[in-house]
Amino acid sequence: MSQVLRLVRSWIVKPSPALLRWSVIGGLVGSLCLVWGARPGAAQRATQGASDVYSVTYRPPDVEYTTYPGDHFDLIVQDGVEDTAWRIREALERTREGTTDLMGVRSSIHMPVVVDGFSDRSNGFVTPFPFKQEIEAPSLRADALVARASSWPSIVGSHELVHATQAEINSGFGLGSVVRFFAPDVARAGNLTAPRGLLEGAAVYRESRIEEGAGRLNAPLFTMKMRAAMLSDDPWSLTQMLAPPAYTQPFNRFYIGGAHAFKAWAEQGDTTSTKFFQRATALHNQFPFLGFGVGLWNGLGESPKRISEDLRATLRADYQQDLSRRRPFTDARRIAGQPGHNYRRPYWLTEDTLVTYLHGYDVRRGFYRVNAETGDRSLIRVQSITEDYTYSLGRDTSALYASRYVPDPLVPTQNIAEAERVGLKDGAATQVTEGGRVFAPVEAPNDSLWAVRNDGSFSQWAAVQNRTAKSLTDFERARFKKIAPSPAENTIAVLLNVDGTQRLYRVDHHRRDRVRLRPWIGLQDAVIYDVSWGPDGRYLLFAADLDETPDVFAFDTKDHEVRRLTNVRFGALEPTLSPDRETVAFVEYQHERHELARIPFRPQAAPLVDSTRVVRGGESPQPPPRVQSTETADLGAGRAYEAWRHLAPRMVYPTLSYDPDETDRPGAARFERLGVGVGLGVAGSDPLGRWRYQGNGFWQDGRLWGSATVQTGRWLLRPSLTAYNTPDTLPVRLETGRGLRAARIGFEERGIALGTQIPIRLQSNVYRSALSLSLGAEYRQTRYFGSALNVLAEDQAARLGQWRDRITLSPRGAWGHRVQQNPRDLVPNQGVVVQSRAEIDAWTEGVAASRALISEVDVYLPLFLRSHTGVRLGAGVLSQNAGAVLGTDQFIPRGYEDRSLGAGSFVRVGAEVTQPIWYIDDGSTLVPFYAKALYGYGFGQALTRVDSSGPTYSSFGAGIGFQFRFFYALEFDLQVGAAVRLEPGDVEPVWR
């Protein structure tokens, strides 16, 4: 889900009525699960009480699923990706026992595993609501995870199984075991509120011990970031290693730091043991409110402060020793680079101009021209790109060819990789495929287009004709990375991965419908990451990790020698040779950035790579041809997916409700008291999210009350149906024989509500546009009841005791247009957001009809991108025929929160400036507190009534805001300030 769509949806989704009362279980764990990620590192899900923990998912309407039951894993497989599903099951079964031993879980695991194939943006995650794994068949493009793995399923299956096992930890009597008795999914969610860096660290550690050389702890692209961070002037603290950063690169810091910390702790001394992790997670399972610092103390036997200091010192000493061993380093000249900027995959346009992809803290991601002498840059086009940053320069240097993920407007989780041509003169982009599912497009010698096309969890070489991609190869277990035609002859270099070996292949002659590959060049025990030709086709440049550090190499096709061009501290990538063959430009990794650097091209002066490390010709593995396979038969007998088989209650929990006594002061009358209500609640969902339900019933005041909701994601509108009958008491002042007395009167409400909602992604290419619409229709009856009616006149009591009926429509809509926000912006730096909501009584009986409408527009101005200053201008209109029809707390100017707006029409205008002061991105391990950012804000607002004379509310002011995270999952944004109120001429403290 794109950022703007999440923003838009959060503005218009109406909070569910408090139909489900606080339960005993919710009281114990609600604070821990208020904001909860679906899995560490994946898309996050917020939960607001038991009625919201389960949700529906809308999937493409033409996608069908088949269920393949198993002893431990029930596969729910999209038709057409059975081969990937078989490989995932094989990986899960092969690693299951080792993973449960690592985590210290004694119970046998059994869970559904959903395998999708309708999207190209690959992912895998575990969610506790409902408990399942969900894995997308297409492989990730990032080399750090998959370059050394035999396949995407082998690595993602073993990784996600660790999270599933973490969720199943049950360490004896404690909060976790009590909750598990009523709501196993909530107990699993509680386990996964441990610091995400530690959870991901364990998973990365496990994935790195499955296949020889595979996994991120064996990947130099991954480990180089840890080395650079720990040898920087400000090495990471333990909290920074274990907590997801909010505003600081690398944004997968908690994966990197958590994995290296886990490895250091597990491999202390001469033995390997994860008992520390088991002791730590056991304590967290039993007493999560203690914070995980106490768990680490229990697991490692030292205070968190001492643990952090020892870890820092050990890692810094090891990394410094390695640097000393590898000296001297290449004296490269930096062209451009600063913290937070990432230059990727440069190409030479002329002898002094490069084109490169850039993203970072204060720049809009896209293609830029860069002067090779001064580093000055100019924008070509703001553009998103696939995560491998693989694109190509056209043969005549007039255009670029790149792929990006194009979102489906209606299916939130579907993104198709399409190829586009970007003109360098005007920056215009033209999509050249339709439903292509292609990556790394490149202009072919015959002016057509070649690309890499997804094929399940592998990929094929494809030709693009008439906007359609057709595969030219049909290999098993092969992942094409890049196709690079020589500028001088028919030779084509192909970067290809076969069973975890990533090397260069060669094509000397090709036909329009078929290609024949020959193994060409590889480096022993190393991965080649990218490849580019020199201008005359003699030299082939590439990056490889020959000595556990990515460096730049050159292969001379004339004398067939491989020479090493760089020896850098952390990593050199993506080399390109200038048109005059005088200079090599490349990307060098430094802490928090990818810099653009250059060195003179002097191949004869560069050292030769030892011939024993060079793999030539036939010694390199060849991609096997596809043959008719019977492997998928091992999935067993399948049946069409049926949601009803999975709809048994996943939560059955006691509920407790009570009626507060607000009339305990002397002389107050108490006419009605509902007392304590007890009951049961249930909730559930199926693994595909086609249906969800929630209901509760409780006995209170001598009656049975309750509510029930059911919703489906089978249809685009995600319809829901809610029925309820609930009691409450309201404070009133009644005229009695003793005069006017304070009292509470019973209030009963019952009805049926229908709801629909539809999010639409209009644009998602750096600038993002989205539309979200919803409509609710509710038939509601209300009446007063109880002994308080007995003191009233007979006709008045009868009138209050009668049912009042109404049918209410609640339309809502929000539209975000070209909203853009850089990683360190606290608010968008550009865009327009329009939102509107209304409550309209379409029909009433016995009660006056209420109508209200609020419409607001916010405009974000791109004035100060470098300083991340957010400037928002806003205006709003409110019209209502009675007070309190809609909540107006956020509509009324600051400083006047105690005022209420009655019937009438109102206009509000205002402006707000937000200025970051300090990106803290650090915290405490012992006390579960993480500070994200400190900022200042200033505002000015004015509200006036327009349909008649009335009060005007105006204020301006300023304050301090503080963003922080508590208990690893609870997100807070606290604002404290002062508002100068113009009408009374005073100053009012304000906070939100």
Side-chain angles (χ1 to χ4, degrees):
M1 182 71 68
S2 69
Q3 181 188 49
V4 65
L5 191 53
R6 290 196 302 268
L7 223 61
V8 165
R9 291 184 68 185
S10 69
W11 283 321
I12 72 161
V13 173
K14 180 182 178 181
S16 301
L19 302 179
L20 184 63
R21 302 297 178 118
W22 269 111
S23 68
V24 172
I25 300 304
L28 292 172
V29 301
S31 62
L32 294 176
C33 300
L34 182 62
V35 177
W36 173 246
R39 85 154 180 111
Q44 302 248 328
R45 172 178 299 159
T47 64
Q48 302 175 1
S51 63
D52 293 329
V53 295
Y54 296 104
S55 61
V56 297
T57 301
Y58 179 69
R59 299 171 188 266
D62 58 343
V63 168
E64 297 295 335
Y65 288 84
T66 301
T67 301
Y68 298 93
D71 294 335
H72 304 102
F73 306 99
D74 295 335
L75 296 183
I76 301 171
V77 183
Q78 179 186 332
D79 292 353
V81 293
E82 290 79 7
D83 177 74
T84 299
W86 177 85
R87 295 176 189 277
I88 290 172
R89 171 177 281 177
E90 191 277 336
L92 292 172
E93 292 290 359
R94 174 168 45 88
T95 62
R96 179 179 55 83
E97 290 188 4
T99 298
T100 54
D101 290 343
L102 178 77
M103 297 293 103
V105 173
R106 294 178 294 274
S107 59
S108 178
I109 193 168
H110 190 275
M111 68 184 306
V113 180
V114 179
V115 183
D116 300 310
F118 56 78
S119 181
D120 289 320
R121 188 187 288 274
S122 187
N123 194 14
F125 61 89
V126 169
T127 173
F129 299 117
F131 185 48
K132 66 174 179 178
Q133 293 184 53
E134 186 152 356
I135 297 173
E136 292 174 328
S139 172
L140 278 177
R141 305 290 301 170
D143 278 328
L145 178 60
V146 298
R148 285 178 164 86
S150 61
S151 69
W152 160 248
S154 70
I155 202 78
V156 71
S158 61
H159 181 101
E160 298 306 332
L161 180 58
V162 174
H163 295 314
T165 308
Q166 290 164 345
E168 290 289 67
I169 293 171
N170 189 12
S171 303
F173 183 75
L175 183 58
S177 63
V178 172
V179 172
R180 186 173 290 269
F181 180 78
F182 299 101
D185 285 353
V186 176
R188 296 177 178 116
N191 287 339
L192 296 178
T193 58
R196 291 178 61 190
L198 199 63
L199 299 179
E200 293 296 351
V204 172
Y205 180 78
R206 175 60 175 156
E207 88 190 17
S208 303
R209 292 165 59 90
I210 301 299
E211 296 181 352
E212 183 68 27
R216 276 167 281 198
L217 278 172
N218 299 311
L221 290 180
F222 185 79
T223 60
M224 72 180 184
K225 297 182 179 181
M226 185 69 179
R227 294 169 181 263
M230 299 312 291
L231 293 178
S232 70
D233 295 335
D234 185 21
W236 292 339
S237 67
L238 180 59
T239 303
Q240 289 174 319
M241 294 184 201
L242 300 184
Y247 299 108
T248 305
Q249 292 182 175
F251 291 107
N252 64 339
R253 182 179 69 190
F254 60 104
Y255 278 83
I256 300 168
H260 285 86
F262 192 99
K263 180 182 179 182
W265 296 330
E267 298 179 1
Q268 296 182 79
D270 298 328
T271 60
T272 298
S273 174
T274 58
K275 294 295 184 183
F276 78 92
F277 181 80
Q278 297 173 18
R279 290 192 293 267
T281 52
L283 191 64
H284 181 75
N285 172 257
Q286 294 173 299
F287 308 107
F289 46 82
L290 295 178
F292 209 84
V294 177
L296 280 179
W297 200 334
N298 181 59
L300 293 169
E302 293 183 329
S303 69
K305 180 180 179 181
R306 181 64 180 273
I307 293 169
S308 181
E309 291 174 349
D310 290 349
L311 184 62
R312 262 188 180 185
T314 299
L315 293 176
R316 282 175 63 88
D318 289 347
Y319 298 156
Q320 190 61 60
Q321 183 179 8
D322 179 68
L323 284 189
S324 299
R325 176 183 61 82
R326 295 196 296 109
R327 293 179 188 276
F329 296 112
T330 302
D331 185 17
R333 176 185 168 187
R334 184 177 66 184
I335 298 174
Q338 66 184 66
H341 282 194
N342 300 280
Y343 292 87
R344 301 306 302 265
R345 206 167 295 280
Y347 290 99
W348 291 92
L349 297 177
T350 66
E351 282 80 357
D352 58 4
T353 305
L354 293 153
V355 60
T356 182
Y357 191 82
L358 172 63
H359 65 97
Y361 289 157
D362 58 359
V363 293
R364 294 193 175 115
R365 57 175 53 230
F367 297 109
Y368 290 79
R369 284 187 183 87
V370 178
N371 186 293
E373 293 294 331
T374 66
D376 294 339
R377 67 176 185 266
S378 60
L379 176 66
I380 297 172
R381 177 176 173 80
V382 172
Q383 177 86 357
S384 62
I385 197 173
T386 54
E387 69 272 20
D388 58 354
Y389 302 105
T390 301
Y391 67 97
S392 64
L393 179 64
R395 300 170 72 87
D396 62 0
T397 69
S398 65
L400 303 173
Y401 294 91
S403 287
R404 69 178 181 91
Y405 296 109
V406 177
D408 184 278
L410 302 177
V411 183
T413 55
Q414 185 172 29
N415 298 272
I416 301 300
E418 304 285 11
E420 293 184 334
R421 180 187 185 275
V422 178
L424 292 179
K425 184 177 181 179
D426 58 6
T430 304
Q431 187 171 314
V432 296
T433 59
E434 187 68 36
R437 312 197 71 171
V438 294
F439 301 82
V442 62
E443 195 173 28
N446 58 2
D447 295 327
S448 62
L449 200 67
W450 286 331
V452 174
R453 186 171 186 267
N454 268 342
D455 181 18
S457 56
F458 301 101
S459 59
Q460 304 292 344
W461 183 346
V464 176
Q465 297 176 350
N466 300 322
R467 298 173 62 86
T468 300
K470 179 182 179 182
S471 294
L472 302 179
T473 59
D474 195 21
F475 295 142
E476 290 274 4
R477 307 194 309 276
R479 302 196 299 273
F480 285 81
K481 302 293 294 183
K482 188 175 182 181
I483 303 160
S486 169
E489 52 180 289
N490 282 332
T491 302
I492 303 164
V494 178
L495 183 59
L496 178 64
N497 189 301
V498 181
D499 287 331
T501 300
Q502 191 159 297
R503 296 173 177 169
L504 291 173
Y505 288 70
R506 174 175 178 162
V507 176
D508 293 318
H509 302 282
H510 67 277
R511 291 163 40 183
R512 184 175 295 274
D513 59 346
R514 185 179 178 186
V515 294
R516 187 183 299 275
L517 278 70
R518 291 194 297 126
W520 196 7
I521 294 295
L523 296 179
Q524 194 70 42
D525 301 322
V527 170
I528 295 177
Y529 294 115
D530 43 64
V531 59
S532 66
W533 287 94
D536 60 359
R538 175 176 175 178
Y539 290 99
L540 200 61
L541 274 63
F542 57 86
D545 54 13
L546 186 62
D547 296 317
E548 299 184 354
T549 299
D551 268 303
V552 173
F553 297 82
F555 173 62
D556 189 336
T557 61
K558 184 176 180 180
D559 62 19
H560 305 288
E561 299 289 354
V562 178
R563 297 180 180 271
R564 182 176 190 143
L565 302 184
T566 68
N567 179 35
V568 300
R569 289 172 174 80
F570 306 116
L573 301 164
E574 301 159 4
T576 179
L577 184 58
S578 63
D580 58 7
R581 294 201 309 172
E582 292 293 324
T583 307
V584 174
F586 62 94
V587 170
E588 183 174 3
Y589 183 78
Q590 301 287 352
H591 181 46
E592 286 191 43
R593 60 192 182 273
H594 290 80
E595 295 183 343
L596 192 57
R598 60 183 290 180
I599 57 172
F601 182 57
R602 303 288 184 264
Q604 300 309 314
L608 284 171
V609 175
D610 189 333
S611 60
T612 62
R613 301 294 304 276
V614 180
V615 180
R616 303 178 187 275
E619 296 180 31
S620 184
Q622 298 211 37
R626 185 188 299 274
V627 295
Q628 188 65 31
S629 174
T630 60
E631 288 179 338
T632 56
D634 291 343
L635 286 174
R639 62 170 183 266
Y641 177 81
E642 297 170 308
W644 64 267
R645 294 178 180 271
H646 305 271
L647 289 178
R650 303 195 64 86
M651 298 169 60
V652 179
Y653 49 91
T655 65
L656 176 67
S657 62
Y658 65 97
D659 179 33
D661 188 351
E662 297 182 358
T663 58
D664 54 358
R665 60 186 183 278
R670 179 73 186 192
F671 287 106
E672 192 63 39
R673 186 182 182 91
L674 298 180
V676 175
V678 295
L680 285 177
V682 297
S685 175
D686 69 292
L688 290 184
R690 289 183 172 176
W691 295 90
R692 77 167 181 93
Y693 65 91
Q694 167 271 321
N696 77 311
F698 56 97
W699 186 266
Q700 190 173 23
D701 193 38
R703 285 187 53 185
L704 181 65
W705 311 87
S707 65
T709 297
V710 62
Q711 184 180 16
T712 180
R714 290 301 304 267
W715 300 294
L716 180 62
L717 295 179
R718 290 90 158 166
S720 64
L721 174 65
T722 299
Y724 59 93
N725 186 12
T726 57
D728 203 349
T729 58
L730 302 177
V732 295
R733 297 182 69 82
L734 299 177
E735 185 68 40
T736 69
R738 297 183 177 182
L740 198 63
R741 304 290 298 277
R744 295 189 72 87
I745 188 170
F747 183 74
E748 181 178 358
E749 196 169 31
R750 66 187 184 188
I752 297 176
L754 298 174
T756 61
Q757 57 180 341
I758 176 172
I760 303 172
R761 295 186 291 183
L762 302 174
Q763 180 189 18
S764 183
N765 184 11
V766 182
Y767 300 108
R768 303 187 177 191
S769 299
L771 176 67
S772 189
L773 303 171
S774 68
L775 176 63
E778 182 179 17
Y779 172 67
R780 183 168 78 252
Q781 291 185 314
T782 58
R783 72 180 180 106
Y784 296 96
F785 70 91
S787 57
L789 300 181
N790 298 332
V791 304
L792 303 176
E794 183 176 348
D795 59 336
Q796 185 179 9
R799 187 170 62 255
L800 290 176
Q802 291 179 347
W803 289 106
R804 294 165 173 81
D805 298 19
R806 68 177 73 207
I807 295 177
T808 303
L809 301 180
S810 303
R812 281 163 171 75
W815 171 49
H817 176 65
R818 288 180 65 81
V819 178
Q820 200 272 325
Q821 187 169 350
N822 289 326
R824 282 199 162 180
D825 295 338
L826 303 188
V827 299
N829 64 58
Q830 179 172 311
V832 177
V833 176
V834 180
Q835 51 182 321
S836 184
R837 56 193 176 100
E839 295 282 347
I840 303 168
D841 283 342
W843 172 84
T844 63
E845 182 176 314
V847 63
S850 296
R851 297 180 178 87
L853 168 69
I854 289 182
S855 292
E856 298 174 279
V857 57
D858 291 309
V859 179
Y860 297 92
L861 302 180
L863 299 180
F864 308 102
L865 293 181
R866 294 294 179 87
S867 60
H868 308 284
T869 306
V871 179
R872 177 175 63 88
L873 305 179
V877 175
L878 166 66
S879 179
Q880 56 185 11
N881 66 351
V885 179
L886 291 171
T888 59
D889 290 347
Q890 300 299 313
F891 188 83
I892 200 165
R894 297 194 192 206
Y896 297 94
E897 286 83 359
D898 59 336
R899 308 295 175 87
S900 61
L901 299 176
S905 297
F906 306 84
V907 172
R908 187 208 65 206
V909 295
E912 185 168 8
V913 177
T914 304
Q915 178 59 57
I917 299 173
W918 182 16
Y919 297 106
I920 305 168
D921 260 341
D922 201 354
S924 166
T925 304
L926 183 59
V927 178
F929 177 85
Y930 183 85
K932 296 164 58 179
L934 184 71
Y935 63 94
Y937 68 92
F939 62 88
Q941 295 174 302
L943 180 147
T944 185
R945 184 166 179 164
V946 297
D947 56 348
S948 63
S949 61
T952 297
Y953 301 126
S954 302
S955 66
F956 67 90
I960 294 292
F962 183 42
Q963 295 181 351
F964 63 95
R965 189 182 302 137
F966 196 54
F967 273 106
Y968 317 112
L970 299 171
E971 301 279 354
F972 293 93
D973 189 348
L974 177 64
Q975 293 183 349
V976 178
V980 178
R981 304 193 302 179
L982 298 185
E983 285 69 37
D986 59 5
V987 178
E988 183 77 10
V990 293
W991 65 281
R992 288 183 178 178

